Amino acid sequence: MQAATVKYKSQAVATYYFVGALALFVGQIVFGLALGLQYLIGDFAFPYIPFNQARMVHTNLLIVWLLFGFMGAAYYLVPEESETELWSPKLAIALFWIFLLAGALTIVGYLAVPYAKLAELTGNELLQTMGREFLEQPLPTKVGIVIVALGFLLNITMTMLKGRKTSITLVLWMGLAGLALLFLFSFYNPSNLVKDKMAWWWVVHLWVEGVWELILGALLAFVLIKTTGVDREVIDKWLYVIIAMALITGILGTGHHYYFIGLPEYWLWIGSVFSALEPVPFFMMTVFAFNMVQRRRREHPNQAAVLWAVGTSVMGFLGAGLWGFIHTLSPVNYYTHGTQVTAAHGHLAFYGAYVLVVITMISYAMPILRGREANPKRAQALEMWSFWIMTIGMGVMVLALTGAGILQVWLQRLPTENPMGFMATQEQLRFFYWLRLGGGVGFLVGLIAYLASFFVGASAEERAAVGAGSMPNPAQRA
């Protein structure tokens, strides 16, 4: 548990974003469990928290806390990579409070008043942007997100311009700029349903299967450089190849959302072919992470961060790659679209690719922000347990949803005569929904364990070793 300090004082602003992200993460999981119960007990928490409101809060918290995580990671990473202080720490802190307040008020609005009334109160008639999944935010919130994103990009860009330029900061900036640019399509809400769905996917898909992958690659590369000591040139080459494949497959892979919304038939081929290739960059990321760990030149004391980094690549490949491939081909998607198979893919993809990379960054940076190179061994042990508990909990949820989706297709979608009705089918899936709820409870236990690791101190042996100046490496366990 060697002492350590951040190289640049302004990196400390990342602490605000990391703490805010984790607090919102807890809220997201709590509402997710409430939704799981509502699948089984239809009137659970009704009329106080109807299903549609709980679902909006659950999905919106997911997006917002990941954005907080990305921003905090950038505020930590960019000064260190650019070898200069952040352009304006005060702006970063101000934007944090603006974003947090806007998010909190939006969630209160979802829960306090009916959605139609919220649209009326927030001026939706001026520019109708509400009513679409993931983009339910009222107009003032959307405008606030744009202001925060522009201020954030200004801060990051000015920092990069006055300092060293690296491939990691370049890829990260491209991802963050693309994130902000593509969000502008959320203001475009045409009456034509085909155009509406196209614009919606340009935000949702090109975020999670496009520019967010650039952010993922940059953050993972940064942590692996710091924890393995592998030459930057080697990691840069891997990063460029992975990002190129991610963009090629991700952009054209948007076509798998065009299958059945009224676009030309050639999208069946384009969407199928390029979506089938989307697992490739995630597989490359897995090989990359294991290769860098095997070629490491040092045993970094923060072995928990290494575990999160490797876990990101593996679970990202399984969730975004393998589970995406399962139902991405148009002849298969014809039956599975909108079933619980989609939910299984969505949960594992978000967890593997983005939840884990944000936690990887927090796991690496927070000990340094708190004045030490790594957490005590006991804290790291608990943190590693939290990884496995959360991952197993998510695995149970995903397998349950996959089973539910397969049965749903069998009962409701495949029969050509007298298919089972939707509600009757849902009744047949209750066993899987109970399994999903159990996995969700396990996931919450893992998250609580992770948060508890922040408060675990060093053992007497470790404190004595620090006092003697001979602190053993946490990786060298007896």
Side-chain angles (χ1 to χ4, degrees), residues 201-243:
W201 283 119
W202 290 343
V203 180
V204 176
H205 174 99
L206 291 178
W207 261 15
V208 300
E209 296 177 63
V211 294
W212 281 27
E213 291 186 17
L214 275 65
I215 299 171
L216 163 64
L219 298 185
L220 193 60
F222 175 79
V223 173
L224 288 173
I225 284 176
K226 297 298 182 180
T227 57
T228 66
V230 174
D231 287 342
R232 181 179 291 270
E233 291 76 12
V234 175
I235 288 182
D236 284 352
K237 291 176 182 177
W238 275 91
L239 179 61
Y240 282 132
V241 173
I242 291 170
I243 293 308

mmCIF file of all heavy atoms in Angstrom, residues 201-243:
data_model
loop_
_atom_site.group_PDB
_atom_site.id
_atom_site.type_symbol
_atom_site.label_atom_id
_atom_site.label_comp_id
_atom_site.label_asym_id
_atom_site.label_seq_id
_atom_site.Cartn_x
_atom_site.Cartn_y
_atom_site.Cartn_z
ATOM 1 N N TRP A 201 -32.283 5.198 -33.943
ATOM 2 C CA TRP A 201 -31.164 4.249 -33.952
ATOM 3 C C TRP A 201 -29.833 4.947 -34.172
ATOM 4 O O TRP A 201 -28.789 4.457 -33.730
ATOM 5 C CB TRP A 201 -31.382 3.164 -35.013
ATOM 6 C CG TRP A 201 -32.369 2.118 -34.608
ATOM 7 C CD1 TRP A 201 -33.548 1.810 -35.220
ATOM 8 C CD2 TRP A 201 -32.279 1.243 -33.483
ATOM 9 N NE1 TRP A 201 -34.197 0.804 -34.548
ATOM 10 C CE2 TRP A 201 -33.439 0.436 -33.480
ATOM 11 C CE3 TRP A 201 -31.331 1.063 -32.476
ATOM 12 C CZ2 TRP A 201 -33.664 -0.540 -32.503
ATOM 13 C CZ3 TRP A 201 -31.563 0.095 -31.509
ATOM 14 C CH2 TRP A 201 -32.712 -0.687 -31.533
ATOM 15 N N TRP A 202 -29.840 6.095 -34.852
ATOM 16 C CA TRP A 202 -28.586 6.835 -35.027
ATOM 17 C C TRP A 202 -28.047 7.338 -33.694
ATOM 18 O O TRP A 202 -26.851 7.555 -33.555
ATOM 19 C CB TRP A 202 -28.787 8.002 -35.992
ATOM 20 C CG TRP A 202 -29.005 7.556 -37.401
ATOM 21 C CD1 TRP A 202 -28.727 6.328 -37.926
ATOM 22 C CD2 TRP A 202 -29.568 8.327 -38.463
ATOM 23 N NE1 TRP A 202 -29.084 6.271 -39.238
ATOM 24 C CE2 TRP A 202 -29.600 7.487 -39.605
ATOM 25 C CE3 TRP A 202 -30.054 9.620 -38.566
ATOM 26 C CZ2 TRP A 202 -30.093 7.921 -40.833
ATOM 27 C CZ3 TRP A 202 -30.542 10.054 -39.781
ATOM 28 C CH2 TRP A 202 -30.557 9.218 -40.902
ATOM 29 N N VAL A 203 -28.927 7.534 -32.727
ATOM 30 C CA VAL A 203 -28.461 7.866 -31.380
ATOM 31 C C VAL A 203 -28.105 6.582 -30.637
ATOM 32 O O VAL A 203 -26.961 6.367 -30.215
ATOM 33 C CB VAL A 203 -29.529 8.642 -30.579
ATOM 34 C CG1 VAL A 203 -28.996 8.971 -29.178
ATOM 35 C CG2 VAL A 203 -29.930 9.915 -31.299
ATOM 36 N N VAL A 204 -29.081 5.693 -30.515
ATOM 37 C CA VAL A 204 -28.929 4.542 -29.620
ATOM 38 C C VAL A 204 -27.869 3.567 -30.123
ATOM 39 O O VAL A 204 -26.944 3.199 -29.382
ATOM 40 C CB VAL A 204 -30.292 3.835 -29.436
ATOM 41 C CG1 VAL A 204 -30.139 2.583 -28.587
ATOM 42 C CG2 VAL A 204 -31.304 4.788 -28.800
ATOM 43 N N HIS A 205 -27.987 3.142 -31.376
ATOM 44 C CA HIS A 205 -27.032 2.149 -31.881
ATOM 45 C C HIS A 205 -25.648 2.756 -32.082
ATOM 46 O O HIS A 205 -24.642 2.156 -31.689
ATOM 47 C CB HIS A 205 -27.517 1.547 -33.200
ATOM 48 C CG HIS A 205 -26.506 0.628 -33.833
ATOM 49 N ND1 HIS A 205 -26.570 -0.734 -33.713
ATOM 50 C CD2 HIS A 205 -25.391 0.884 -34.559
ATOM 51 C CE1 HIS A 205 -25.542 -1.277 -34.346
ATOM 52 N NE2 HIS A 205 -24.815 -0.307 -34.872
ATOM 53 N N LEU A 206 -25.582 3.918 -32.715
ATOM 54 C CA LEU A 206 -24.269 4.491 -33.005
ATOM 55 C C LEU A 206 -23.577 5.001 -31.746
ATOM 56 O O LEU A 206 -22.372 5.286 -31.777
ATOM 57 C CB LEU A 206 -24.402 5.599 -34.050
ATOM 58 C CG LEU A 206 -24.771 5.094 -35.447
ATOM 59 C CD1 LEU A 206 -24.926 6.258 -36.415
ATOM 60 C CD2 LEU A 206 -23.731 4.106 -35.972
ATOM 61 N N TRP A 207 -24.308 5.131 -30.658
ATOM 62 C CA TRP A 207 -23.647 5.316 -29.365
ATOM 63 C C TRP A 207 -23.000 4.001 -28.923
ATOM 64 O O TRP A 207 -21.787 3.896 -28.842
ATOM 65 C CB TRP A 207 -24.686 5.749 -28.316
ATOM 66 C CG TRP A 207 -24.708 7.220 -28.045
ATOM 67 C CD1 TRP A 207 -24.143 8.214 -28.802
ATOM 68 C CD2 TRP A 207 -25.335 7.876 -26.934
ATOM 69 N NE1 TRP A 207 -24.396 9.434 -28.233
ATOM 70 C CE2 TRP A 207 -25.114 9.259 -27.097
ATOM 71 C CE3 TRP A 207 -26.068 7.422 -25.841
ATOM 72 C CZ2 TRP A 207 -25.601 10.189 -26.172
ATOM 73 C CZ3 TRP A 207 -26.553 8.354 -24.930
ATOM 74 C CH2 TRP A 207 -26.314 9.720 -25.098
ATOM 75 N N VAL A 208 -23.839 3.000 -28.659
ATOM 76 C CA VAL A 208 -23.348 1.807 -27.965
ATOM 77 C C VAL A 208 -22.551 0.871 -28.872
ATOM 78 O O VAL A 208 -21.727 0.092 -28.388
ATOM 79 C CB VAL A 208 -24.510 1.047 -27.294
ATOM 80 C CG1 VAL A 208 -25.204 1.919 -26.276
ATOM 81 C CG2 VAL A 208 -25.512 0.536 -28.303
ATOM 82 N N GLU A 209 -22.782 0.905 -30.170
ATOM 83 C CA GLU A 209 -22.033 0.025 -31.073
ATOM 84 C C GLU A 209 -21.179 0.835 -32.046
ATOM 85 O O GLU A 209 -20.784 0.322 -33.091
ATOM 86 C CB GLU A 209 -23.001 -0.900 -31.823
ATOM 87 C CG GLU A 209 -23.734 -1.849 -30.896
ATOM 88 C CD GLU A 209 -24.754 -2.718 -31.605
ATOM 89 O OE1 GLU A 209 -24.334 -3.515 -32.468
ATOM 90 O OE2 GLU A 209 -25.956 -2.603 -31.303
ATOM 91 N N GLY A 210 -20.917 2.075 -31.673
ATOM 92 C CA GLY A 210 -20.072 2.941 -32.495
ATOM 93 C C GLY A 210 -19.107 3.724 -31.638
ATOM 94 O O GLY A 210 -18.061 3.214 -31.227
ATOM 95 N N VAL A 211 -19.463 4.971 -31.315
ATOM 96 C CA VAL A 211 -18.506 5.865 -30.660
ATOM 97 C C VAL A 211 -18.183 5.447 -29.226
ATOM 98 O O VAL A 211 -17.081 5.716 -28.733
ATOM 99 C CB VAL A 211 -19.019 7.317 -30.693
ATOM 100 C CG1 VAL A 211 -19.066 7.826 -32.120
ATOM 101 C CG2 VAL A 211 -20.404 7.451 -30.053
ATOM 102 N N TRP A 212 -19.123 4.791 -28.534
ATOM 103 C CA TRP A 212 -18.797 4.333 -27.175
ATOM 104 C C TRP A 212 -17.686 3.288 -27.206
ATOM 105 O O TRP A 212 -16.927 3.157 -26.247
ATOM 106 C CB TRP A 212 -20.039 3.756 -26.490
ATOM 107 C CG TRP A 212 -20.981 4.788 -25.954
ATOM 108 C CD1 TRP A 212 -21.152 6.066 -26.410
ATOM 109 C CD2 TRP A 212 -21.904 4.641 -24.868
ATOM 110 N NE1 TRP A 212 -22.125 6.719 -25.681
ATOM 111 C CE2 TRP A 212 -22.598 5.869 -24.736
ATOM 112 C CE3 TRP A 212 -22.223 3.604 -24.011
ATOM 113 C CZ2 TRP A 212 -23.586 6.075 -23.771
ATOM 114 C CZ3 TRP A 212 -23.211 3.809 -23.045
ATOM 115 C CH2 TRP A 212 -23.871 5.026 -22.926
ATOM 116 N N GLU A 213 -17.588 2.534 -28.287
ATOM 117 C CA GLU A 213 -16.520 1.540 -28.388
ATOM 118 C C GLU A 213 -15.151 2.213 -28.479
ATOM 119 O O GLU A 213 -14.138 1.643 -28.054
ATOM 120 C CB GLU A 213 -16.760 0.624 -29.588
ATOM 121 C CG GLU A 213 -17.962 -0.294 -29.393
ATOM 122 C CD GLU A 213 -18.132 -1.295 -30.512
ATOM 123 O OE1 GLU A 213 -17.162 -1.522 -31.275
ATOM 124 O OE2 GLU A 213 -19.227 -1.855 -30.637
ATOM 125 N N LEU A 214 -15.096 3.419 -29.048
ATOM 126 C CA LEU A 214 -13.839 4.165 -29.051
ATOM 127 C C LEU A 214 -13.454 4.544 -27.620
ATOM 128 O O LEU A 214 -12.280 4.430 -27.233
ATOM 129 C CB LEU A 214 -13.972 5.426 -29.910
ATOM 130 C CG LEU A 214 -13.730 5.295 -31.415
ATOM 131 C CD1 LEU A 214 -14.788 4.419 -32.068
ATOM 132 C CD2 LEU A 214 -13.716 6.672 -32.089
ATOM 133 N N ILE A 215 -14.440 4.988 -26.852
ATOM 134 C CA ILE A 215 -14.187 5.341 -25.450
ATOM 135 C C ILE A 215 -13.716 4.102 -24.692
ATOM 136 O O ILE A 215 -12.742 4.150 -23.925
ATOM 137 C CB ILE A 215 -15.454 5.926 -24.812
ATOM 138 C CG1 ILE A 215 -15.877 7.196 -25.552
ATOM 139 C CG2 ILE A 215 -15.244 6.211 -23.330
ATOM 140 C CD1 ILE A 215 -17.244 7.729 -25.144
ATOM 141 N N LEU A 216 -14.402 2.987 -24.911
ATOM 142 C CA LEU A 216 -14.032 1.727 -24.274
ATOM 143 C C LEU A 216 -12.577 1.354 -24.592
ATOM 144 O O LEU A 216 -11.791 1.024 -23.694
ATOM 145 C CB LEU A 216 -14.983 0.624 -24.745
ATOM 146 C CG LEU A 216 -14.567 -0.836 -24.530
ATOM 147 C CD1 LEU A 216 -14.468 -1.156 -23.048
ATOM 148 C CD2 LEU A 216 -15.568 -1.778 -25.205
ATOM 149 N N GLY A 217 -12.220 1.409 -25.863
ATOM 150 C CA GLY A 217 -10.866 1.035 -26.264
ATOM 151 C C GLY A 217 -9.806 1.934 -25.650
ATOM 152 O O GLY A 217 -8.759 1.464 -25.189
ATOM 153 N N ALA A 218 -10.070 3.238 -25.618
ATOM 154 C CA ALA A 218 -9.096 4.186 -25.065
ATOM 155 C C ALA A 218 -8.900 3.967 -23.567
ATOM 156 O O ALA A 218 -7.756 3.963 -23.069
ATOM 157 C CB ALA A 218 -9.549 5.622 -25.339
ATOM 158 N N LEU A 219 -9.992 3.790 -22.823
ATOM 159 C CA LEU A 219 -9.885 3.598 -21.377
ATOM 160 C C LEU A 219 -9.172 2.292 -21.053
ATOM 161 O O LEU A 219 -8.317 2.240 -20.154
ATOM 162 C CB LEU A 219 -11.273 3.607 -20.737
ATOM 163 C CG LEU A 219 -12.094 4.893 -20.864
ATOM 164 C CD1 LEU A 219 -13.391 4.778 -20.073
ATOM 165 C CD2 LEU A 219 -11.305 6.113 -20.409
ATOM 166 N N LEU A 220 -9.513 1.235 -21.787
ATOM 167 C CA LEU A 220 -8.878 -0.057 -21.546
ATOM 168 C C LEU A 220 -7.382 0.010 -21.858
ATOM 169 O O LEU A 220 -6.552 -0.522 -21.100
ATOM 170 C CB LEU A 220 -9.561 -1.133 -22.384
ATOM 171 C CG LEU A 220 -9.246 -2.589 -22.051
ATOM 172 C CD1 LEU A 220 -9.644 -2.909 -20.615
ATOM 173 C CD2 LEU A 220 -9.957 -3.527 -23.016
ATOM 174 N N ALA A 221 -7.019 0.673 -22.958
ATOM 175 C CA ALA A 221 -5.607 0.806 -23.321
ATOM 176 C C ALA A 221 -4.849 1.579 -22.252
ATOM 177 O O ALA A 221 -3.710 1.218 -21.888
ATOM 178 C CB ALA A 221 -5.484 1.498 -24.679
ATOM 179 N N PHE A 222 -5.441 2.654 -21.733
ATOM 180 C CA PHE A 222 -4.787 3.467 -20.705
ATOM 181 C C PHE A 222 -4.487 2.644 -19.458
ATOM 182 O O PHE A 222 -3.351 2.652 -18.938
ATOM 183 C CB PHE A 222 -5.670 4.659 -20.343
ATOM 184 C CG PHE A 222 -5.160 5.497 -19.212
ATOM 185 C CD1 PHE A 222 -4.146 6.420 -19.418
ATOM 186 C CD2 PHE A 222 -5.683 5.357 -17.929
ATOM 187 C CE1 PHE A 222 -3.660 7.199 -18.366
ATOM 188 C CE2 PHE A 222 -5.211 6.130 -16.874
ATOM 189 C CZ PHE A 222 -4.194 7.053 -17.094
ATOM 190 N N VAL A 223 -5.481 1.905 -18.974
ATOM 191 C CA VAL A 223 -5.286 1.109 -17.754
ATOM 192 C C VAL A 223 -4.261 0.014 -17.983
ATOM 193 O O VAL A 223 -3.414 -0.257 -17.108
ATOM 194 C CB VAL A 223 -6.632 0.520 -17.276
ATOM 195 C CG1 VAL A 223 -6.417 -0.445 -16.112
ATOM 196 C CG2 VAL A 223 -7.580 1.631 -16.846
ATOM 197 N N LEU A 224 -4.282 -0.625 -19.157
ATOM 198 C CA LEU A 224 -3.323 -1.690 -19.428
ATOM 199 C C LEU A 224 -1.895 -1.151 -19.524
ATOM 200 O O LEU A 224 -0.942 -1.816 -19.101
ATOM 201 C CB LEU A 224 -3.709 -2.438 -20.701
ATOM 202 C CG LEU A 224 -4.950 -3.333 -20.572
ATOM 203 C CD1 LEU A 224 -5.347 -3.899 -21.927
ATOM 204 C CD2 LEU A 224 -4.705 -4.457 -19.569
ATOM 205 N N ILE A 225 -1.719 0.039 -20.070
ATOM 206 C CA ILE A 225 -0.389 0.651 -20.098
ATOM 207 C C ILE A 225 0.115 0.863 -18.686
ATOM 208 O O ILE A 225 1.273 0.557 -18.349
ATOM 209 C CB ILE A 225 -0.418 1.986 -20.870
ATOM 210 C CG1 ILE A 225 -0.491 1.742 -22.375
ATOM 211 C CG2 ILE A 225 0.830 2.825 -20.556
ATOM 212 C CD1 ILE A 225 -0.610 3.005 -23.200
ATOM 213 N N LYS A 226 -0.756 1.373 -17.827
ATOM 214 C CA LYS A 226 -0.360 1.709 -16.462
ATOM 215 C C LYS A 226 -0.098 0.475 -15.609
ATOM 216 O O LYS A 226 0.777 0.492 -14.739
ATOM 217 C CB LYS A 226 -1.436 2.578 -15.803
ATOM 218 C CG LYS A 226 -1.651 3.924 -16.482
ATOM 219 C CD LYS A 226 -0.399 4.782 -16.433
ATOM 220 C CE LYS A 226 -0.613 6.136 -17.066
ATOM 221 N NZ LYS A 226 0.599 6.977 -17.028
ATOM 222 N N THR A 227 -0.859 -0.580 -15.837
ATOM 223 C CA THR A 227 -0.754 -1.742 -14.951
ATOM 224 C C THR A 227 0.179 -2.833 -15.455
ATOM 225 O O THR A 227 0.602 -3.691 -14.675
ATOM 226 C CB THR A 227 -2.146 -2.365 -14.718
ATOM 227 O OG1 THR A 227 -2.726 -2.725 -15.977
ATOM 228 C CG2 THR A 227 -3.055 -1.398 -13.979
ATOM 229 N N THR A 228 0.526 -2.820 -16.747
ATOM 230 C CA THR A 228 1.396 -3.875 -17.282
ATOM 231 C C THR A 228 2.792 -3.390 -17.634
ATOM 232 O O THR A 228 3.723 -4.185 -17.679
ATOM 233 C CB THR A 228 0.778 -4.517 -18.543
ATOM 234 O OG1 THR A 228 0.730 -3.537 -19.600
ATOM 235 C CG2 THR A 228 -0.623 -5.045 -18.263
ATOM 236 N N GLY A 229 2.930 -2.101 -17.926
ATOM 237 C CA GLY A 229 4.232 -1.589 -18.328
ATOM 238 C C GLY A 229 4.626 -1.956 -19.744
ATOM 239 O O GLY A 229 5.767 -1.734 -20.153
ATOM 240 N N VAL A 230 3.685 -2.497 -20.532
ATOM 241 C CA VAL A 230 3.977 -2.840 -21.931
ATOM 242 C C VAL A 230 4.184 -1.549 -22.725
ATOM 243 O O VAL A 230 3.559 -0.524 -22.454
ATOM 244 C CB VAL A 230 2.818 -3.671 -22.524
ATOM 245 C CG1 VAL A 230 3.027 -3.910 -24.018
ATOM 246 C CG2 VAL A 230 2.702 -4.992 -21.791
ATOM 247 N N ASP A 231 5.081 -1.601 -23.712
ATOM 248 C CA ASP A 231 5.395 -0.416 -24.511
ATOM 249 C C ASP A 231 4.133 0.190 -25.115
ATOM 250 O O ASP A 231 3.267 -0.526 -25.639
ATOM 251 C CB ASP A 231 6.355 -0.778 -25.644
ATOM 252 C CG ASP A 231 7.766 -1.053 -25.130
ATOM 253 O OD1 ASP A 231 8.073 -0.645 -23.991
ATOM 254 O OD2 ASP A 231 8.528 -1.688 -25.860
ATOM 255 N N ARG A 232 4.064 1.501 -25.063
ATOM 256 C CA ARG A 232 2.911 2.222 -25.612
ATOM 257 C C ARG A 232 2.728 1.924 -27.100
ATOM 258 O O ARG A 232 1.595 1.831 -27.588
ATOM 259 C CB ARG A 232 3.110 3.724 -25.387
ATOM 260 C CG ARG A 232 1.975 4.589 -25.883
ATOM 261 C CD ARG A 232 2.259 6.046 -25.580
ATOM 262 N NE ARG A 232 2.191 6.313 -24.146
ATOM 263 C CZ ARG A 232 1.078 6.671 -23.515
ATOM 264 N NH1 ARG A 232 -0.056 6.796 -24.184
ATOM 265 N NH2 ARG A 232 1.089 6.908 -22.222
ATOM 266 N N GLU A 233 3.821 1.781 -27.838
ATOM 267 C CA GLU A 233 3.726 1.549 -29.276
ATOM 268 C C GLU A 233 2.978 0.252 -29.581
ATOM 269 O O GLU A 233 2.200 0.172 -30.541
ATOM 270 C CB GLU A 233 5.117 1.498 -29.912
ATOM 271 C CG GLU A 233 5.862 2.816 -29.933
ATOM 272 C CD GLU A 233 6.441 3.196 -28.579
ATOM 273 O OE1 GLU A 233 6.453 2.320 -27.670
ATOM 274 O OE2 GLU A 233 6.865 4.363 -28.409
ATOM 275 N N VAL A 234 3.205 -0.763 -28.762
ATOM 276 C CA VAL A 234 2.533 -2.047 -28.968
ATOM 277 C C VAL A 234 1.035 -1.900 -28.737
ATOM 278 O O VAL A 234 0.203 -2.351 -29.538
ATOM 279 C CB VAL A 234 3.116 -3.112 -28.014
ATOM 280 C CG1 VAL A 234 2.334 -4.423 -28.130
ATOM 281 C CG2 VAL A 234 4.592 -3.334 -28.307
ATOM 282 N N ILE A 235 0.675 -1.249 -27.651
ATOM 283 C CA ILE A 235 -0.740 -1.067 -27.326
ATOM 284 C C ILE A 235 -1.419 -0.160 -28.345
ATOM 285 O O ILE A 235 -2.578 -0.381 -28.721
ATOM 286 C CB ILE A 235 -0.879 -0.521 -25.890
ATOM 287 C CG1 ILE A 235 -0.530 -1.639 -24.893
ATOM 288 C CG2 ILE A 235 -2.277 0.026 -25.620
ATOM 289 C CD1 ILE A 235 -0.656 -1.265 -23.449
ATOM 290 N N ASP A 236 -0.707 0.862 -28.834
ATOM 291 C CA ASP A 236 -1.280 1.758 -29.834
ATOM 292 C C ASP A 236 -1.686 1.013 -31.100
ATOM 293 O O ASP A 236 -2.748 1.260 -31.681
ATOM 294 C CB ASP A 236 -0.277 2.858 -30.190
ATOM 295 C CG ASP A 236 -0.181 3.930 -29.108
ATOM 296 O OD1 ASP A 236 -1.000 3.898 -28.177
ATOM 297 O OD2 ASP A 236 0.721 4.791 -29.211
ATOM 298 N N LYS A 237 -0.814 0.096 -31.544
ATOM 299 C CA LYS A 237 -1.117 -0.656 -32.758
ATOM 300 C C LYS A 237 -2.382 -1.491 -32.580
ATOM 301 O O LYS A 237 -3.247 -1.531 -33.465
ATOM 302 C CB LYS A 237 0.069 -1.555 -33.126
ATOM 303 C CG LYS A 237 1.303 -0.783 -33.598
ATOM 304 C CD LYS A 237 2.478 -1.707 -33.847
ATOM 305 C CE LYS A 237 3.721 -0.920 -34.260
ATOM 306 N NZ LYS A 237 4.904 -1.811 -34.429
ATOM 307 N N TRP A 238 -2.484 -2.163 -31.444
ATOM 308 C CA TRP A 238 -3.692 -2.938 -31.160
ATOM 309 C C TRP A 238 -4.909 -2.028 -31.134
ATOM 310 O O TRP A 238 -5.961 -2.357 -31.678
ATOM 311 C CB TRP A 238 -3.549 -3.646 -29.807
ATOM 312 C CG TRP A 238 -2.837 -4.951 -29.862
ATOM 313 C CD1 TRP A 238 -1.504 -5.175 -29.699
ATOM 314 C CD2 TRP A 238 -3.428 -6.239 -30.098
ATOM 315 N NE1 TRP A 238 -1.224 -6.512 -29.811
ATOM 316 C CE2 TRP A 238 -2.376 -7.189 -30.053
ATOM 317 C CE3 TRP A 238 -4.723 -6.668 -30.327
ATOM 318 C CZ2 TRP A 238 -2.605 -8.547 -30.234
ATOM 319 C CZ3 TRP A 238 -4.958 -8.028 -30.515
ATOM 320 C CH2 TRP A 238 -3.905 -8.955 -30.467
ATOM 321 N N LEU A 239 -4.774 -0.878 -30.490
ATOM 322 C CA LEU A 239 -5.896 0.034 -30.331
ATOM 323 C C LEU A 239 -6.426 0.490 -31.685
ATOM 324 O O LEU A 239 -7.647 0.491 -31.923
ATOM 325 C CB LEU A 239 -5.476 1.246 -29.489
ATOM 326 C CG LEU A 239 -6.534 2.316 -29.242
ATOM 327 C CD1 LEU A 239 -7.729 1.739 -28.499
ATOM 328 C CD2 LEU A 239 -5.937 3.494 -28.459
ATOM 329 N N TYR A 240 -5.544 0.877 -32.593
ATOM 330 C CA TYR A 240 -5.983 1.372 -33.895
ATOM 331 C C TYR A 240 -6.711 0.283 -34.690
ATOM 332 O O TYR A 240 -7.734 0.550 -35.340
ATOM 333 C CB TYR A 240 -4.792 1.885 -34.699
ATOM 334 C CG TYR A 240 -4.317 3.260 -34.273
ATOM 335 C CD1 TYR A 240 -2.964 3.514 -34.048
ATOM 336 C CD2 TYR A 240 -5.212 4.309 -34.090
ATOM 337 C CE1 TYR A 240 -2.524 4.776 -33.657
ATOM 338 C CE2 TYR A 240 -4.800 5.559 -33.708
ATOM 339 C CZ TYR A 240 -3.445 5.792 -33.490
ATOM 340 O OH TYR A 240 -3.029 7.033 -33.095
ATOM 341 N N VAL A 241 -6.203 -0.939 -34.651
ATOM 342 C CA VAL A 241 -6.840 -2.026 -35.398
ATOM 343 C C VAL A 241 -8.224 -2.333 -34.823
ATOM 344 O O VAL A 241 -9.206 -2.489 -35.558
ATOM 345 C CB VAL A 241 -5.951 -3.289 -35.365
ATOM 346 C CG1 VAL A 241 -6.679 -4.469 -35.994
ATOM 347 C CG2 VAL A 241 -4.641 -3.037 -36.110
ATOM 348 N N ILE A 242 -8.313 -2.397 -33.494
ATOM 349 C CA ILE A 242 -9.593 -2.696 -32.845
ATOM 350 C C ILE A 242 -10.621 -1.616 -33.154
ATOM 351 O O ILE A 242 -11.778 -1.902 -33.491
ATOM 352 C CB ILE A 242 -9.391 -2.836 -31.320
ATOM 353 C CG1 ILE A 242 -8.598 -4.108 -31.002
ATOM 354 C CG2 ILE A 242 -10.735 -2.853 -30.591
ATOM 355 C CD1 ILE A 242 -8.152 -4.208 -29.561
ATOM 356 N N ILE A 243 -10.205 -0.359 -33.061
ATOM 357 C CA ILE A 243 -11.132 0.748 -33.295
ATOM 358 C C ILE A 243 -11.591 0.781 -34.749
ATOM 359 O O ILE A 243 -12.764 1.035 -35.044
ATOM 360 C CB ILE A 243 -10.475 2.083 -32.902
ATOM 361 C CG1 ILE A 243 -10.249 2.128 -31.388
ATOM 362 C CG2 ILE A 243 -11.326 3.257 -33.342
ATOM 363 C CD1 ILE A 243 -11.477 1.809 -30.560
#
